[in-house]
Amino acid sequence: MKQLELKHPLAVRWLHWINFPMLALMIWSGLLIYWANDVYQVEISGHEVFRFFPQPFYDALGISSHLARGLSLHFFFMWFFTVNGVLYVAYTLVSGEWRSLVPVAGSFRRAGLVMLHDLHLRKAPPPQGKYNDAQRIAYSGVIVMGFGSVVTGLAIYKPLQAAWLTALLGGYECARIEHFILMIGYVLFFLVHIAQVIRAGWSNFRSMIAGYEVIDAVPASPAPGKTGEGEATR
Amino acid sequence: MAARSRRSFLVAASAAVAGGLGLWWLLDPRRQGIFDRMLGLNEKIGGGLFRRQARAAEFSRSLAKIPRVNGTEGMSEDFDVDRWRLQVTGLAAGRQLPQFATDLAYHTEVSDETAAKFPATPAAGLLLTLDDIKALPRVEMITELKCVEGWSTIVHWGGARVSDFVAKYSPATELGSLPPYVSLVTPDRGYYVGWDTPSILHPQTLLCYEMNGEPLPLEHGGPLRLVTTAKYGIKQIKRIGRMAFTDQRPADYWAERGYDWYSGL
């Protein structure tokens, strides 16, 4: 017997899907700013081993100077990105959703099992729940990253007026690097997230649109279609 | 189930299309005015929260370097440093000072377009020499010069605080009763910046005539430039020729090219 179960509340779905273009625009406009002076590279004992955007990249995309545009976009969408993030955190706190999102005792050990399973190195599936332990860590971690982006961003945006914050983050240059590394973190998160959503299949994806997921009913559960929000936890 | 799912996907698809169209409309270059209005709003917030007591980090002398020369606008070749004077208008006091003059003209050749923006002979005011600036309390600061492009360089600056300058040349004026803006222009009128008065009166804003212990070199804005921790390098005009305290929001070279007029850090 199958039944419907509310997995993602309406607020979470909206905030999630609004965040997607906001974050994308923040990354894009941030890169327009970064490209005005693209000095970050990975060095090992003074030798450049990796540069983020080599010259052929610019030639291929025809990117020239869009610094002013990048700045005006970044300082526009920052408000929407931040407010959306604050609303998401506030909602998860008020609704109690946070309980299924934060890592719990043993999460880091079991997240290792999730990875082994996903890499086909371990047969037995790890405990899933609403989110498995790797998801708990990833979804909480990305919120911490969002907070980090706002804080490091503020330290770069107002290094005089928020000088104490800039100093706390190791200074202006450090805060810029931290802000940049967090951006790379989002890109990596995005790649893994997309791969996992594809792997998890249609029903999981649909739950992020429609909110409901079809599950195998346990005998004591109410009839299909009558599941209200109150019975949504398992 | 199917109906509920269909409805949700319909809502999602509509929202995605509406959102996509909305962003497509918004990101059209013709809508740049919306983003500029947000910069104006950010300026109101930044100006409202501005604290004169805030101080940007200062560094040890050993970390100071020579900054990159990043822009030659307003730095005409034919500049005669010996004839240089600082023109100052808009300060209430001054008439009784020996430096008060009625003809502030530099007699430099400029295009009609430039002349229309900045008249050759501004209203009467002060005509100051570098010695007048050097007579003010000398202040040193070792701070990061922050470029809007993203790089920054620690530089050891020496000069006089703009706030000390105002206190000396407009002693009767309460700082709060000064005009809200300051316009600074190079002698050839080729580069010009607009400032809000609270930022220019910040203690880390200097009329600078020394860099790393030497007289300020010409290519870095000698004989006199502005340096600050309160704004990006685009606002730290080199080779100041004219300084006007004004009620009009002044023209700004890079603001006319899409950059934030306020650029407040």
Side-chain angles (χ1 to χ4, degrees), chain B residues 13-56:
Chain B
S14 318
V17 168
L21 283 175
L23 284 176
W24 180 73
W25 178 86
L26 183 64
L27 293 172
D28 186 296
R30 280 171 294 178
R31 247 69 69 179
Q32 184 59 37
I34 294 172
F35 296 96
D36 293 343
R37 274 216 287 283
M38 183 65 99
L39 289 179
L41 189 64
N42 292 346
E43 176 182 338
K44 280 207 181 71
I45 296 168
L49 294 173
F50 181 85
R51 286 182 315 121
R52 196 182 140 78
Q53 298 79 15
R55 292 290 181 281

Side-chain angles (χ1 to χ4, degrees), chain A residues 4 13-14 21-22 25 33 36-37 67-69 71-73 75-80 156-161 163 172-173 176 202 205-206 209-210 212 214, chain B residues 1 4-5 8-9 12 15 23 26-27 32 34-35 38 42 45 49-51 54-56 68 144 146 148-152 202 204 229-230 258-259 264-265:
Chain A
L4 285 181
R13 281 177 278 145
W14 272 102
M22 289 306 113
L25 283 161
I33 298 168
N37 184 50
L67 174 59
R69 174 82 169 156
L71 288 163
S72 69
L73 259 60
F75 299 153
F76 180 88
F77 288 111
M78 66 178 184
W79 293 111
F80 299 91
I156 304 166
Y157 185 52
K158 297 288 172 188
L160 167 61
Q161 291 301 318
Y172 182 71
E173 294 277 346
R176 286 195 86 235
W202 177 249
F205 178 73
R206 183 177 53 193
I209 304 277
Y212 288 82
V214 182
Chain B
M1 171 64 212
R4 171 179 267 155
S5 191
S8 291
F9 270 85
L23 284 176
L26 183 64
L27 293 172
Q32 184 59 37
I34 294 172
F35 296 96
M38 183 65 99
N42 292 346
I45 296 168
L49 294 173
F50 181 85
R51 286 182 315 121
R55 292 290 181 281
R68 185 200 295 185
E144 279 170 323
K146 299 180 186 77
V148 70
E149 292 171 358
W151 55 268
S152 62
H202 186 271
Q204 286 178 320
T229 62
Y259 287 84
L265 299 176

Side-chain angles (χ1 to χ4, degrees), chain B residues 105-246:
Chain B
Y106 261 111
H107 310 292
T108 43
E109 297 290 320
V110 294
S111 69
D112 294 348
E113 193 192 343
T114 306
K117 200 177 280 166
F118 302 106
T121 314
L126 300 170
L127 206 51
L128 302 177
T129 63
L130 194 58
D131 285 338
D132 289 325
I133 307 299
K134 286 183 172 171
L136 296 163
R138 184 170 165 280
V139 174
E140 291 182 38
M141 64 178 198
I142 305 161
T143 49
E144 279 170 323
L145 168 63
K146 299 180 186 77
C147 180
V148 70
E149 292 171 358
W151 55 268
S152 62
T153 307
I154 297 170
V155 188
H156 176 191
W157 304 110
R161 289 195 175 109
V162 177
S163 55
D164 288 339
F165 171 85
V166 171
K168 163 101 187 259
Y169 286 101
S170 196
T173 317
E174 294 277 321
L175 290 190
S177 67
L178 282 168
Y181 299 111
V182 185
S183 165
L184 298 119
V185 188
T186 56
D188 66 1
R189 289 168 266 174
Y191 194 72
Y192 39 93
V193 296
W195 275 66
D196 58 292
T197 301
S199 295
I200 211 166
L201 293 179
H202 186 271
Q204 286 178 320
T205 306
L206 308 184
L207 291 165
C208 162
Y209 47 79
E210 281 174 8
M211 191 179 89
N212 297 334
E214 307 280 334
L216 185 65
L218 274 185
E219 73 268 26
H220 288 287
L224 191 70
R225 70 172 294 174
L226 203 65
V227 297
T228 187
T229 62
K231 291 186 192 292
Y232 287 119
I234 46 173
K235 293 287 194 180
Q236 303 180 31
I237 183 171
K238 300 190 241 179
R239 195 187 289 175
I240 309 169
R242 184 182 298 182
M243 187 176 182
F245 289 80
T246 170

